Amino acid sequence: MTAVKRFALLYTASNVFFFHSLKYFTTGSSGVPNIPEFMGVMVVDGVQTGYCDSNNKTLKVQQDWAQKILENNRKQLDWYTQKCSEDQPNVFRAHTVRLKQQFNQSEGVYIIQRISGCEWDEHTDRVAAVLQYGYGGEGFLEFDVNTLTWIQLKAEADVIKQRWNTERTRTKQNEIFLTQVCPEWLKMYVAGGKSSLQRTVLPSVSLLQKSPSSPISCHATGFYPHRAVMFWRKDGEEIHEGVDPGEILPNHDGTFQMTVDLNVSSVTPEDWSRYECVFQLSEDAIITKLNKTAIRTRKARRIDGGERNAFDSFYLLILWFLCNVMLEHVALKNSRSTSWRSSQRRKIKWFYVKCFSCFKYASCSCS
């Protein structure tokens, strides 16, 4: 990680409590047995707040503060219930049928993704809107709230783009929700969930090693929010050679974990004391000296691949399960050619990887 990039990350982390987001991640699927045709997740400031699908047809509120807000705002709760029970499942079912007809497709696994919502800068009061669609593993359509027009991300989306751009009622509804309703609700959620959403939790940091010849892992777990950085340095200077940074992954309790490996095969025992692992979250830092006596032996599996409970969060469990079921369905149930099955696998893996990142950070699109 370069000094400039690390500074940017630290600057973002130090201002994390002034940037807020309300995102709705919705997915419609076809050709996947035993999986809801529609699934939706509400995420506030990166925290999963609600979930619903076409089987249960009701919003499951997953934060106490959000439950209190909705209990006091019955119209809002009714809106979510109507969206979960009838509106959105029907919308995504219709989208799937029309797209399959347009592309003259009738078999296989098909996925439509949508991310909608807004972001709010508490410092400037600036609001940004997000509304994007993905289809079949690729970006498809994007709504420009400034021009109130749809932009095609694939040539195949041109027909739908032209039709949607003539639907003035749909356009007006999108504008009102993205620029008025969503920001109003986001500010309400931030105020109601402030003590939870804006908390800072420092992690426990450990030095782990699988075997004497393995890299040493600096592992931090239990921190919140997720905008943290961790790196190795020697003699007070950050190093990159022999360093393998891992991803930030979610824990089951809403906190996060991360791992950074250091290859010590060429480091003499006398030089170990010159190395240290640095974890930084906002203005707080935890420095762990490289010390043989502090190293614990870990199990054979890699921690930076994610602890098993990293998938205990329901939305990640759904994505993981959906991905694996679809991969198995494509591989075992379909009699198409090998090249076709490989193409379907790539699309499904794309969906999982992109949406995993989206749901983790609530700051990108599944399209």
Side-chain angles (χ1 to χ4, degrees), residues 300-330:
R301 58 190 176 89
R302 287 179 59 84
I303 288 179
D304 62 1
E307 297 288 349
R308 179 66 179 87
N309 62 14
F311 292 97
D312 286 348
S313 293
F314 196 70
Y315 59 92
L316 292 178
L317 176 60
I318 287 291
L319 290 173
W320 174 80
F321 183 57
L322 177 60
C323 180
N324 281 278
V325 168
M326 287 191 293
L327 285 172
E328 181 180 359
H329 177 71
V330 170

Side-chain angles (χ1 to χ4, degrees), residues 238-296:
E238 182 179 353
I239 58 175
H240 307 284
E241 185 177 355
V243 175
D244 181 17
E247 293 185 5
I248 296 178
L249 299 172
N251 289 322
H252 69 286
D253 59 359
T255 63
F256 298 88
Q257 61 170 291
M258 67 188 306
T259 300
V260 179
D261 290 348
L262 173 66
N263 189 334
V264 293
S265 59
S266 60
V267 179
T268 62
E270 294 78 16
D271 287 339
W272 276 42
S273 60
R274 301 168 62 186
Y275 292 81
E276 57 191 13
C277 172
V278 181
F279 172 91
Q280 283 190 290
L281 177 62
S282 188
E283 298 178 355
D284 297 307
I286 299 176
I287 299 175
T288 306
K289 289 280 188 180
L290 182 57
N291 188 327
K292 279 186 176 293
T293 61
I295 297 175
R296 297 187 305 177

Side-chain angles (χ1 to χ4, degrees), residues 1 16 115 152 171 198 236 257 299 301 334 345 353 365:
M1 182 188 302
V16 61
I115 175 174
Q152 67 187 65
T171 299
Q198 299 188 11
Q257 61 170 291
K299 296 180 181 180
R301 58 190 176 89
N334 205 295
R345 283 195 180 96
V353 172
S365 169

Side-chain angles (χ1 to χ4, degrees), residues 30-275:
S30 173
V32 188
N34 304 319
I35 291 294
E37 291 181 324
F38 168 81
M39 294 182 290
V41 175
M42 177 173 70
V43 180
V44 179
D45 282 2
V47 177
Q48 183 179 341
T49 308
Y51 168 85
C52 69
D53 60 47
S54 53
N55 289 348
N56 296 322
K57 297 183 178 181
T58 184
L59 176 69
K60 178 182 179 183
V61 183
Q62 296 168 294
Q63 301 293 330
D64 291 339
W65 57 264
Q67 184 68 49
K68 292 179 181 178
I69 290 176
L70 293 179
E71 287 175 353
N72 294 325
N73 292 269
R74 189 68 196 183
K75 287 185 178 180
Q76 200 174 130
L77 179 59
D78 291 343
W79 183 88
Y80 281 119
T81 301
Q82 193 270 338
K83 290 291 181 180
C84 288
S85 62
E86 297 181 9
D87 184 86
Q88 290 304 293
N90 291 337
V91 166
F92 273 78
R93 191 177 300 113
H95 284 340
T96 302
V97 171
R98 288 171 185 155
L99 287 170
K100 289 167 71 173
Q101 289 175 345
Q102 177 180 330
F103 299 142
N104 195 27
Q105 299 167 331
S106 59
E107 299 180 4
V109 173
Y110 300 96
I111 301 169
I112 300 175
Q113 309 99 42
R114 185 186 67 201
I115 175 174
S116 59
C118 55
E119 299 171 342
W120 170 48
D121 184 337
E122 193 174 344
H123 267 160
T124 64
D125 205 34
R126 174 181 170 273
V127 173
V130 178
L131 178 54
Q132 299 173 335
Y133 277 88
Y135 175 68
E138 297 176 304
F140 199 67
L141 283 165
E142 180 178 51
F143 185 71
D144 187 334
V145 75
N146 296 313
T147 62
L148 299 181
T149 57
W150 287 94
I151 301 171
Q152 67 187 65
L153 304 178
K154 292 279 292 182
E156 295 88 342
D158 183 63
V159 174
I160 298 176
K161 179 199 75 171
Q162 293 186 40
R163 185 173 74 248
W164 285 6
N165 278 337
T166 63
E167 297 178 357
R168 295 184 179 181
T169 300
R170 174 199 291 269
T171 299
K172 191 62 179 179
Q173 290 174 342
N174 286 334
E175 180 189 16
I176 292 174
F177 182 78
L178 294 173
T179 62
Q180 299 177 31
V181 177
C182 183
E184 178 185 340
W185 289 2
L186 172 56
K187 293 175 183 180
M188 181 189 302
Y189 298 158
V190 169
K194 187 173 183 178
S195 61
S196 175
L197 295 171
Q198 299 188 11
R199 75 189 191 279
T200 298
V201 181
L202 293 177
S204 61
V205 181
S206 305
L207 298 179
L208 307 172
Q209 191 175 32
K210 184 169 63 176
S211 68
S213 61
S214 301
I216 293 177
S217 299
C218 184
H219 180 62
T221 185
F223 61 89
Y224 183 92
H226 67 267
R227 294 181 177 91
V229 294
M230 190 162 67
F231 54 93
W232 283 95
R233 65 187 184 189
K234 177 183 178 182
D235 296 331
E237 297 291 332
E238 182 179 353
I239 58 175
H240 307 284
E241 185 177 355
V243 175
D244 181 17
E247 293 185 5
I248 296 178
L249 299 172
N251 289 322
H252 69 286
D253 59 359
T255 63
F256 298 88
Q257 61 170 291
M258 67 188 306
T259 300
V260 179
D261 290 348
L262 173 66
N263 189 334
V264 293
S265 59
S266 60
V267 179
T268 62
E270 294 78 16
D271 287 339
W272 276 42
S273 60
R274 301 168 62 186
Y275 292 81

Side-chain angles (χ1 to χ4, degrees), residues 330-353:
V330 170
L332 300 180
K333 302 292 185 181
N334 205 295
S335 59
R336 298 281 187 97
S337 66
T338 301
S339 61
W340 185 88
R341 292 198 303 268
S342 297
S343 172
Q344 294 296 303
R345 283 195 180 96
R346 286 194 299 271
K347 290 180 179 181
I348 294 165
K349 288 181 178 179
W350 175 93
F351 161 73
Y352 174 69
V353 172

